[in-house]
Amino acid sequence: KAGVTQTPRYLIKTRGQQVTLSCSPISGHRSVSWYQQTPGQGLQFLFEYFSETQRNKGNFPGRFSGRQFSNSRSEMNVSTLELGDSALYLCASSFSGSRANVLTFGAGSRLTVL
Amino acid sequence: QKEVEQDPGPLSVPEGAIVSLNCTYSNSAFQYFMWYRQYSRKGPELLMYTYSSGNKEDGRFTAQVDKSSKYISLFIRDSQPSDSATYLCAMKTSGSRLTFGEGTQLTVNP
């Protein structure tokens, strides 16, 4: 059974650019969540999608956005990149996102903003 | 103040030692408690998942939850060099939104 796949694994951007990250969940999983991991703040929740609808959102500025497609694949976008956006962006999927479901994480996309 | 507090370490132990990792939390609404292990350049992988107070054992790993004290622990018996990783506690009220501790970096020396 394939795990959660994130692409690209590494990328470098400059300030002011935008970036799109992709996540393919485990087959059959309909909930996809995104987290940002930095040395200072740890893992912080960005948003969750279920059946193409954003179900929950963390405390991040509007520059961070996402979407989910009908096949449950998800993308997140960060516009007008800032140096502080350098981080490991992790995607996690679960069957339904209900309280009993556990999250399975991908390996992450490491973004460096210069 | 953070909702979940975890000592970031680093923690260094000899092979075979018993390792104790701990987190405290302030939100009494947390119902589900997890421990994830993260190797360098990898995503977190789930180690233990508990719902109620008490102990849960899985091989060399034991998770403890004390809701009255808002305190959770992970014990690793007979630690191995392959256990060297960052250990993250995580918890949630419902849904899939997890609140994580900062993570404790563990090194087990041969």
Side-chain angles (χ1 to χ4, degrees), chain B residues 5-17:
Chain B
E5 299 279 357
Q6 181 178 10
D7 186 343
L11 180 62
S12 181
V13 302
E15 183 176 353

Side-chain angles (χ1 to χ4, degrees), chain B residues 2-78:
Chain B
K2 293 182 180 180
E3 277 190 294
V4 179
E5 299 279 357
Q6 181 178 10
D7 186 343
L11 180 62
S12 181
V13 302
E15 183 176 353
I18 296 174
V19 176
S20 172
L21 305 168
N22 311 293
C23 289
T24 59
Y25 61 96
S26 57
N27 187 351
S28 57
F30 286 137
Q31 300 180 57
Y32 300 87
F33 304 90
M34 287 136 277
W35 286 95
Y36 281 84
R37 177 175 62 193
Q38 186 174 23
Y39 291 113
S40 180
R41 302 183 185 280
K42 296 288 181 69
E45 60 174 324
L46 182 68
L47 274 178
M48 301 289 283
Y49 181 97
T50 55
Y51 169 67
S52 58
S53 285
N55 294 357
K56 182 176 181 179
E57 190 173 319
D58 184 1
R60 296 184 296 111
F61 298 90
T62 299
Q64 280 187 352
V65 175
D66 183 346
K67 287 187 177 180
S68 62
S69 301
K70 297 190 180 68
Y71 187 88
I72 70 171
S73 300
L74 178 71
F75 297 95
I76 307 174
R77 291 185 300 280
D78 188 25

Side-chain angles (χ1 to χ4, degrees), chain A residues 35 37 48 97 99 101 103, chain B residues 36 38 49 92 95-96 98:
Chain A
Y35 289 79
Q37 186 175 29
E48 181 206 354
R99 52 188 175 177
N101 275 190
L103 298 186
Chain B
Y36 281 84
Q38 186 174 23
Y49 181 97
K92 63 180 180 178
S96 63
L98 295 179

Side-chain angles (χ1 to χ4, degrees), chain A residues 10-51:
Chain A
Y10 302 92
L11 66 166
I12 300 173
K13 294 285 186 179
T14 57
R15 280 180 297 176
Q17 287 186 312
Q18 74 167 14
V19 66
T20 298
L21 309 177
S22 179
C23 173
S24 293
I26 291 172
S27 177
H29 284 191
R30 296 169 62 192
S31 171
V32 173
S33 300
W34 290 89
Y35 289 79
Q36 181 196 64
Q37 186 175 29
T38 58
Q41 298 297 318
L43 276 121
Q44 293 187 290
F45 174 78
L46 281 158
F47 27 65
E48 181 206 354
Y49 287 88
F50 181 80
S51 293

Side-chain angles (χ1 to χ4, degrees), chain B residues 83-100:
Chain B
D83 294 328
S84 298
T86 296
Y87 289 80
L88 300 146
C89 64
M91 44 200 81
K92 63 180 180 178
T93 55
S94 61
S96 63
R97 178 174 182 161
L98 295 179
T99 301
F100 283 87

